[in-house]
Amino acid sequence: MQSLYSRENILILGTMPGEIYSGYERATSLVQSDWESWGDCKFSIDSANISSSGNTAWFSARGYVKFDLSSLLVLPLRFTGIMVKEDQIWKFRQQQFQFDIDFSFSLLASLILFIWILVSLVNLMIKLVRSRLHNVTTGKP
């Protein structure tokens, strides 16, 4: 942490909702827990986007994480952030880790499933109403 992270205004956004770590102590706890248990992260530095102005730089890189729990679980990952130059050393000040997964198919599948359930419920309601009408006209309870 001391060699890689600034002690001022640190903000790390993790991959999960609610993973917002601000301040050196909270950022340290996230980095330590992920370092020890998350998995092996690899980033394509050759295709990274890096820009700077003065003592500030911002970057983005794509890569993947191979989880320790299952070597079969490998997910694409996007890593973005801001670095600052402190005492001639570049250090992270802000980072965001994001799974780089296209959920558009999941959204389409969910929409189709919702429509199928809705149509099934409408058909069920029609059958129930017809059954009641049939019972009323034939005098059956």
Side-chain angles (χ1 to χ4, degrees):
M1 286 296 294
Q2 292 173 359
S3 63
L4 293 176
Y5 289 85
S6 171
R7 292 191 70 88
E8 298 180 34
N9 299 321
I10 293 181
L11 176 65
I12 300 178
L13 303 176
T15 56
M16 302 305 289
E19 281 190 330
I20 301 171
Y21 297 85
S22 60
Y24 191 80
E25 289 74 25
R26 293 198 69 218
T28 298
S29 69
L30 173 70
V31 170
Q32 181 179 359
S33 69
D34 281 359
W35 188 274
E36 293 172 347
S37 65
W38 209 50
D40 188 17
C41 293
K42 301 279 185 183
F43 295 99
S44 177
I45 302 305
D46 293 338
S47 63
N49 296 299
I50 304 169
S51 299
S52 68
S53 178
N55 289 334
T56 305
W58 50 97
F59 63 91
S60 67
R62 290 180 183 238
Y64 65 88
V65 58
K66 184 179 354 178
F67 287 92
D68 287 343
L69 296 174
S70 169
S71 61
L72 300 175
L73 182 57
V74 178
L75 292 177
L77 192 63
R78 191 178 319 166
F79 178 42
T80 60
I82 296 173
M83 299 183 83
V84 292
K85 196 179 231 183
E86 296 177 354
D87 299 323
Q88 302 305 310
I89 298 171
W90 287 102
K91 295 188 176 187
F92 294 109
R93 180 160 293 166
Q94 295 182 357
Q95 294 178 328
Q96 179 176 1
F97 296 89
Q98 177 179 339
F99 291 124
D100 203 9
I101 300 172
D102 181 5
F103 287 105
S104 59
F105 175 75
S106 298
L107 182 61
L108 178 62
S110 297
L111 182 61
I112 290 170
L113 182 61
F114 175 76
I115 291 169
W116 177 74
I117 290 171
L118 188 62
V119 168
S120 296
L121 286 173
V122 168
N123 280 335
L124 178 63
M125 293 302 292
I126 290 171
K127 288 180 181 183
L128 285 173
V129 168
R130 284 184 179 164
S131 174
R132 291 221 174 228
L133 287 174
H134 177 72
N135 289 344
V136 167
T137 58
T138 61
K140 295 181 180 175

